[in-house]
């Protein structure tokens, strides 16, 4: 935020990193966990951030940062949308909404018609819904995931997935209206790897174990 209006944004961000880290550590609203070895981890985190900022992908040539942590409210397909964009840049190719990731992979998205996690949600909605609401007179570009640990863009997308997302929104509204919440993970069950409800799952590994146990009896 303090660096975005400086002539050399990259250098300004680098000069502010140490101060910003210290402020985050003191900010009670963030409620950061107290780690016993934090003083040993801290230099590594700062090093990772510096490398992310120094990376060529961090800021495109000719780009200007318009906003950081930009909140928005909009309506799309009869749904009220509320969110926050990590960074909005104005580039020679139009606006780009950037979402920072600490992982090294882009989100897998929601299921397509074949049950495969393939359709990205976040970036198309940034481009289709958030940016037009925030900047109605500016030319739209795309959305992008930027990995802070890898220092590179993981994925860039525009509005190619909008038809699939509109169909998803209609299914979601229908499910909400009818109280229908089926347990239906993707065909490869990638979502199951991150689910906290294995103990009560009706179709996952727990059920399979119970079926096998019953068969053996």
């Amino acid at each position: 935020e303090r660096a975005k209006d400086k002539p050399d944004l990259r250098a300004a961000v680098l000069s502010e990193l140490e101060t910003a880290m210290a402020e985050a550590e003191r900010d009670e609203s963030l409620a950061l966990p107290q780690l016993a070895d934090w003083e040993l981890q801290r230099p590594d985190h700062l090093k990772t951030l510096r490398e992310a900022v120094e990376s060529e992908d961090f800021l495109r040539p000719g780009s200007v940062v318009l906003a950081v942590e930009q909140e928005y409210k909009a309506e799309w397909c009869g749904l009220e949308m509320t969110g926050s964009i990590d960074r909005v840049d104005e580039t020679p190719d139009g606006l780009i909404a950037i979402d920072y990731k600490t992982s090294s992979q882009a989100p897998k998205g929601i299921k397509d018609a074949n049950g495969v996690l393939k359709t990205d949600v976040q970036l198309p909605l940034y481009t289709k819904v958030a940016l037009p609401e925030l900047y109605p007179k500016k030319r739209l570009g795309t959305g992008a995931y930027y990995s802070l640990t890898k220092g590179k863009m993981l994925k860039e997308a525009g509005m190619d997935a909008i038809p699939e997302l509109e169909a998803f929104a209609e299914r979601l509204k229908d499910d909400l209206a009818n109280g229908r919440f089926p347990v239906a993970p993707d065909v490869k069950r990638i979502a199951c790897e991150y689910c906290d409800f294995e103990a009560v799952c009706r179709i996952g590994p727990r059920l399979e174990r119970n079926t096998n146990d019953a068969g053996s009896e």
Side-chain angles (χ1 to χ4, degrees), residues 66-131:
L66 297 182
V68 296
E69 298 181 5
Q70 176 67 68
E71 296 183 353
Y72 69 90
K73 291 184 179 181
E75 183 175 321
W76 173 72
C77 288
L79 298 171
E80 292 185 8
M81 311 292 291
T82 302
S84 176
I85 304 174
D86 288 336
R87 201 175 97 202
V88 179
D89 288 8
E90 186 168 21
T91 78
D93 298 320
L95 297 182
I96 179 170
I98 297 174
D99 187 70
Y100 293 133
K101 296 297 182 187
T102 55
S103 64
S104 59
Q105 294 182 334
K108 295 186 180 297
I110 60 173
K111 294 184 297 181
D112 64 7
N114 298 315
V116 179
L117 297 181
K118 189 176 181 180
T119 304
D120 187 77
V121 176
Q122 196 170 357
L123 299 184
L125 290 185
Y126 278 171
T127 307
K128 172 71 174 180
V129 181
L131 292 181

Side-chain angles (χ1 to χ4, degrees), residues 22-37:
E23 290 178 0
E25 291 168 312
R26 295 192 300 268
D27 191 336
E28 295 182 358
S29 67
L30 295 179
L32 296 178
Q34 300 298 313
L35 303 178
D37 61 345

Side-chain angles (χ1 to χ4, degrees), residues 8-76:
D8 188 339
L9 183 136
R10 197 187 305 269
V13 172
L14 289 171
S15 69
E16 292 284 352
L17 278 180
E18 177 69 42
T19 301
M21 175 76 85
E23 290 178 0
E25 291 168 312
R26 295 192 300 268
D27 191 336
E28 295 182 358
S29 67
L30 295 179
L32 296 178
Q34 300 298 313
L35 303 178
D37 61 345
W38 173 243
E39 290 304 317
L40 298 177
Q41 293 188 38
R42 191 176 191 274
D44 289 336
H45 286 296
L46 280 170
K47 179 176 181 291
T48 298
L49 287 173
R50 290 192 185 97
E51 291 174 348
V53 175
E54 290 169 348
S55 169
E56 182 179 352
D57 279 1
F58 181 73
L59 186 69
R60 297 182 178 183
S63 297
V64 175
V65 177
L66 297 182
V68 296
E69 298 181 5
Q70 176 67 68
E71 296 183 353
Y72 69 90
K73 291 184 179 181
E75 183 175 321
W76 173 72

Side-chain angles (χ1 to χ4, degrees), residues 80-217:
E80 292 185 8
M81 311 292 291
T82 302
S84 176
I85 304 174
D86 288 336
R87 201 175 97 202
V88 179
D89 288 8
E90 186 168 21
T91 78
D93 298 320
L95 297 182
I96 179 170
I98 297 174
D99 187 70
Y100 293 133
K101 296 297 182 187
T102 55
S103 64
S104 59
Q105 294 182 334
K108 295 186 180 297
I110 60 173
K111 294 184 297 181
D112 64 7
N114 298 315
V116 179
L117 297 181
K118 189 176 181 180
T119 304
D120 187 77
V121 176
Q122 196 170 357
L123 299 184
L125 290 185
Y126 278 171
T127 307
K128 172 71 174 180
V129 181
L131 292 181
E133 180 71 21
L134 294 168
Y135 306 97
K137 296 183 179 180
K138 291 187 178 292
R139 184 160 63 99
L140 299 179
T142 59
Y145 295 121
Y146 184 72
S147 172
L148 294 173
T149 51
K150 290 294 185 179
K152 67 177 183 179
M153 290 293 186
L154 299 175
K155 180 179 181 179
E156 189 169 336
M159 293 186 282
D160 295 342
I162 290 301
E164 290 85 352
L165 290 178
E166 289 176 345
F168 168 71
E170 293 305 316
R171 293 196 304 273
L172 178 62
K173 289 190 293 184
D174 187 58
D175 287 342
L176 291 171
N178 292 283
R180 183 173 57 244
F181 306 104
V183 179
D186 57 287
V187 291
K188 294 184 178 180
R189 292 187 179 175
I190 295 174
C192 299
E193 299 174 8
Y194 307 98
C195 180
D196 295 327
F197 300 101
E198 179 184 344
V200 295
C201 182
R202 298 193 295 275
I203 63 173
R206 182 190 69 84
L207 184 61
E208 292 173 357
R209 286 198 298 269
N210 290 345
T211 302
N212 293 334
D213 292 343
S216 63
E217 292 176 357

